[in-house]
Amino acid sequence: MGSTTKNSKIYVVVKEPGNPTGEIREVDNTLRAFQELVGGHIEAITMDEGLAVICNEDGRFLDLPHNCKFGGIDFVGTIAIVGVDGEDVADCPLGIDELDEWMEI
């Protein structure tokens, strides 16, 4: 994530372990907000141009519960699916229905 943000709030898809689908949430576009969302230090995994997953960097070490496989990568703990605009995070460019093709529970 870049040091500056274009929007103070963005729309992201949040997927929690045990919940079969994600939900769209408006969140503050800040490091602190994403840390609170995933419960610790964040790691951003770029899926393709314009899409990334934010997860807990230490999720496996903390033995967080399995969440899903997204884009062929297994994730644990709560994740946020966001858009990418250069080095900044942005509104998620896909709706929940469009994300189903990326996600395996």
Side-chain angles (χ1 to χ4, degrees):
M1 291 193 323
S3 59
T4 61
T5 57
K6 294 183 179 184
N7 299 315
S8 61
K9 290 192 180 274
I10 59 172
Y11 289 97
V12 303
V13 175
V14 177
K15 168 76 176 64
E16 296 176 334
N19 186 349
T21 62
E23 69 178 52
I24 297 172
R25 292 188 197 169
E26 184 179 37
V27 299
D28 289 333
N29 190 1
T30 64
L31 175 61
R32 172 174 265 161
F34 283 108
Q35 287 174 328
E36 288 176 6
L37 186 67
V38 302
H41 297 287
I42 66 165
E43 180 175 4
I45 312 290
T46 302
M47 295 282 118
D48 74 352
E49 195 163 325
L51 189 67
V53 175
I54 296 177
C55 62
N56 185 315
E57 179 179 62
D58 302 316
R60 294 197 194 287
F61 297 115
L62 297 171
D63 201 27
L64 296 180
H66 179 265
N67 186 332
C68 64
K69 185 177 276 197
F70 189 86
I73 300 170
D74 282 311
F75 288 95
V76 298
T78 300
I79 62 171
I81 303 158
V82 301
V84 177
D85 182 13
E87 292 186 9
D88 295 322
V89 294
D91 291 331
C92 182
L94 303 175
I96 290 174
D97 292 340
E98 296 170 294
L99 292 173
D100 284 345
E101 67 186 61
W102 287 79
M103 195 177 317
E104 296 175 41
I105 301 302

